[in-house]
């Protein structure tokens, strides 16, 4: 049987042919992600520990001579965008097309003069549930455009940086590097311990016999999009105040909890800074525990991470809290927490392999999750020449 990503790429090739009546010359794939621990610390230079999941986005395409970006998304009922390449600019598109146009703009100068791109996108990442459907969209687009210029193979971290720039400038979301980085650099059987200050990573092998169950809590509070930049701003204010009071520090993760008190920080900014400092330490501790196959310790760190996101950083919601509590009570679960930006979306539970399918079923039947699935860590993005 073909792997999930190869099957999706093949199906996307067929959809492209049916839509445009020509063969695509390149097909690309980029996975979504689930973050095991290290939440809301990527934009303050902390440590994160995501895995790429077995759901992703595929893009099939050709270069044209019409000077247009033509993109069709099967995820949005076959909606099409068509824009002259030369006219792609920040603010010129909205919704999913702003992500695609923004990424194509990053690679515009590498295309032959006067060229256009015709592409079709197809995804198995549930939209808007905190599993990085937008990073999968961005990275698959980037890999396709690079592939169309002859650069096929695996992704590198430069692709992640270009996609984050596109998200900042074209979609207006001040995200960190985590989602794009793991979508590019994911490795089968491993989580990535990403140092978001240096933007480098170490591989952390996931012990044998462990699975991850991802469950949607069924809500997505609109609040998330306005609160995210507020949390980021709180972290920036906190670092500025600590630096002002105590001297230079490159990022919040180089600060200690005592620095927060000594600098006179209080209220929301102090709470956010404390979360950032402690969450980075928890992430390193989780990586060490995973390497020692100490799964109980990993689970306890996930529980502490969730409590901090709920009480200090305040990005959880009652639906996520209830699902985390339900998951943590199930036999075979080491630990559970919210994952991603919060205010709804998904939880992740780390569990014994043999319990994963039962836990998945119970989260849906009794836990109230409309959608749950289990995944191991998968490989990152790639592009290949399509079979023609
Ligand atoms: C979103 C952002 C990431 C990260 C997470 C929270 O997924 O895109 O950069 O900040 O939220 O950890």
């Amino acid at each position: 049987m073909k792997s999930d990503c190869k099957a999706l790429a093949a199906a996307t090739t067929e959809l492209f042919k049916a839509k445009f009546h020509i063969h695509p010359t390149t097909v690309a794939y980029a996975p979504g992600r689930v973050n095991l621990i290290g939440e809301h610390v990527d934009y303050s230079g902390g440590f994160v520990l995501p895995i790429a999941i077995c759901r992703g986005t595929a893009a099939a395409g050709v270069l044209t001579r019409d000077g247009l970006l033509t993109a069709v998304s099967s995820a949005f009922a076959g909606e099409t965008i068509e824009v002259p390449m030369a006219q792609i600019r920040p603010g010129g598109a909205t919704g999913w097309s702003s992500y695609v146009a923004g990424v194509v703009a990053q690679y515009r100068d590498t295309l032959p003069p006067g060229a256009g791109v015709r592409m079709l996108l197809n995804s198995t990442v549930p939209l808007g549930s905190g599993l990085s459907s937008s990073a999968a969209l961005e990275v698959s687009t980037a890999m396709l455009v690079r592939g169309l210029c002859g650069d096929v193979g695996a992704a590198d971290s430069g692709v992640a940086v270009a996609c984050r720039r596109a998200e900042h400038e074209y979609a207006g979301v001040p995200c960190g590097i985590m989602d794009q980085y793991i979508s590019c650099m994911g490795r089968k059987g491993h989580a990535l311990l990403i140092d978001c200050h240096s933007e480098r990573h170490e591989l952390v092998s996931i012990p044998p016999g462990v699975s991850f169950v991802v469950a949607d809590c069924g809500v997505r509070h609109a609040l998330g999009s306005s609160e995210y930049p507020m949390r980021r701003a709180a972290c920036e204010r906190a670092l500025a105040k600590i630096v002002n009071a105590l001297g230079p520090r490159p990022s919040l993760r180089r600060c200690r909890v005592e620095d927060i008190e000594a600098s006179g920080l209080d209220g929301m900014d102090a709470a956010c800074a404390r979360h950032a400092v402690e969450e980075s330490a928890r992430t390193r501790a989780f990586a060490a525990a995973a390497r020692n196959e100490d799964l109980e310790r990993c689970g306890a760190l996930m529980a502490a991470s969730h409590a901090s996101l709920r009480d200090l950083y305040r990005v959880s919601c009652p639906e996520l809290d209830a699902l985390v509590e339900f998951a943590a009570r199930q036999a075979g679960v080491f630990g559970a927490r919210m994952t991603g930006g919060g205010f709804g979306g998904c939880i992740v539970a780390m569990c014994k392999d043999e319990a994963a399918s039962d836990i998945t079923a119970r989260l849906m039947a009794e836990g109230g999750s409309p959608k749950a699935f289990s995944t191991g860590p998968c490989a990152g993005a790639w592009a290949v020449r399509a079979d023609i």
Side-chain angles (χ1 to χ4, degrees), residues 33 35 38-43 48 130 132 134 167 173-180 228 337 339-342:
R33 64 97 188 92
N35 189 20
E39 210 67 80
H40 278 283
V41 293
D42 59 346
Y43 48 78
V48 298
S132 278
S134 35
E167 184 153 344
V173 180
C175 62
I177 192 69
M178 172 170 71
D179 303 350
Q180 294 82 3
Y228 187 92
R337 55 181 291 279
T339 186

